[in-house]
Amino acid sequence: MDILAKIVRDKRQEVALRKSLVPSIQLERSILFERETYSLAENLKSSETGIIAEHKRRSPSKQVINHDLNVFDVAKGYEHAGVSGMSVLTDGKYFGGSLDDLIIARSSCELPLLRKEFIIDDYQILEAKAYGADVILLIAAILTREEIEQFSKLAKSLGLDVLLEIHNEEELHKSIMPSIDMIGVNNRNLKTFEVSLETSKALSNLIPDDFVKVSESGISNIEAIKTLRPFGYRGFLIGENFMKTNNAGESAAQFINDLLS
């Protein structure tokens, strides 16, 4: 079984358990459920850098990245660095994240926050809103067209932006719909874990201009961004690059400074 199928199988069990512990109505009564959200898509359209910086402790491909950095400090540091948005991993088993990370990040910055999660149920979208997210991630590889439509419409009704992640042309074609704001091309091959920016280049012309284009994975230097900009990319998701340092915020600030100079 490939890693994605394994994660989804575990996620179904996890979500069933969470639903039994905290009913949807309780999520909808949370204080943050009423807050006005920040738009990542709009930020990216007007940003000079388009950096979406991530908080990620570990991953199935890299194991431990950094268990020492405090989410509060990372979020504050990213905001101070001038990133366009922050991605927060909330999967526990494979990435060492949690919904607590999301709520801590929300309390420490005013950046648009992306809940980076394997969404397979409406319930997780209600959670995202209740814990302070502004954006959800939908992964085309694990969802049907009907699910993408259902989840993205629910997110839009709650004032959340939707970033739809694809790996190939087939996933792109099943995902094009008006309830999507951003299309993210993941440069990592999920079967081999190899990363190639050629994936973003090859798919760029196929993505309609109505969507903000985001490139994900393998963006570890400013050359990568300069290479992808002419292909229409406005957003660049950077995870491990900042997190593997002792100070993610300072690392992001230096990166942005280099990019703009």
Side-chain angles (χ1 to χ4, degrees):
M1 187 185 283
D2 68 50
I3 187 68
L4 204 52
K6 216 157 125 189
I7 291 172
V8 169
R9 187 194 60 190
D10 290 342
K11 192 59 62 180
R12 292 197 189 284
Q13 293 177 340
E14 180 195 316
V15 172
L17 176 62
R18 295 172 88 87
K19 282 167 112 169
S20 69
L21 296 172
V22 181
S24 297
I25 191 76
Q26 201 171 317
L27 294 173
E28 290 169 14
R29 286 182 184 144
S30 112
I31 294 170
L32 289 173
F33 212 83
E34 297 306 314
R35 69 174 274 272
E36 203 68 21
T37 50
Y38 305 122
S39 172
L40 177 60
E42 291 307 315
N43 263 20
L44 293 177
K45 284 178 194 171
S46 60
S47 170
E48 280 187 274
T49 66
I51 305 292
I52 306 163
E54 195 155 80
H55 180 271
K56 175 160 69 171
R57 291 186 182 88
R58 65 171 191 263
S59 74
S61 61
K62 288 282 172 73
Q63 302 308 315
V64 173
I65 297 163
N66 196 327
H67 279 297
D68 301 325
L69 296 183
N70 172 308
V71 184
F72 188 88
D73 295 336
V74 171
K76 278 237 172 285
Y78 282 160
E79 184 171 42
H80 190 254
V83 304
S84 301
M86 178 176 175
S87 165
V88 182
L89 260 301
T90 61
D91 174 78
K93 183 170 182 179
Y94 295 91
F95 290 87
S98 73
L99 278 164
D100 286 347
D101 290 339
L102 187 58
I103 212 159
I104 291 167
R106 176 76 293 144
S107 71
S108 50
C109 73
E110 291 184 4
L111 291 167
L113 295 182
L114 164 69
R115 181 187 186 187
K116 189 95 172 283
E117 182 55 271
F118 299 86
I119 289 180
I120 42 92
D121 194 292
D122 283 344
Y123 182 82
Q124 293 161 288
I125 300 167
L126 298 178
E127 277 183 330
K129 178 72 173 174
Y131 280 80
D134 303 279
V135 193
I136 60 156
L137 175 74
L138 296 179
I139 302 171
I142 62 174
L143 301 170
T144 63
R145 181 175 174 82
E146 291 66 36
E147 286 171 325
I148 292 168
E149 188 169 22
Q150 177 189 329
F151 296 155
S152 57
K153 282 183 171 173
L154 172 60
K156 296 311 294 172
S157 75
L158 297 174
L160 299 169
D161 273 5
V162 180
L163 170 62
L164 190 284
E165 177 178 298
I166 59 164
H167 297 86
N168 55 45
E169 192 174 338
E170 186 190 348
E171 290 175 6
L172 171 63
H173 290 317
K174 78 170 180 185
S175 310
I176 291 175
M177 55 188 78
S179 43
I180 302 293
D181 301 286
M182 297 161 280
I183 290 184
V185 177
N186 193 331
N187 300 306
R188 188 184 304 283
N189 181 314
L190 291 177
K191 294 192 168 39
T192 64
F193 284 120
E194 283 172 8
V195 174
S196 170
L197 296 184
E198 295 305 314
T199 310
S200 280
K201 292 180 189 176
L203 291 171
S204 65
N205 285 338
L206 303 173
I207 301 172
D209 291 337
D210 321 357
F211 305 101
V212 177
K213 296 180 197 176
V214 177
S215 187
E216 308 169 11
S217 295
I219 300 173
S220 57
N221 53 48
I222 60 173
E223 282 67 38
I225 291 177
K226 288 178 174 174
T227 299
L228 292 173
R229 277 239 178 93
F231 289 86
Y233 286 92
R234 304 301 299 268
F236 305 92
L237 184 69
I238 301 180
E240 291 155 20
N241 204 44
F242 305 144
M243 282 301 291
K244 64 188 180 192
T245 66
N246 292 330
N247 188 320
E250 270 181 22
S251 170
Q254 186 60 57
F255 188 94
I256 287 171
N257 193 41
D258 293 345
L259 183 60
L260 294 176
S261 58

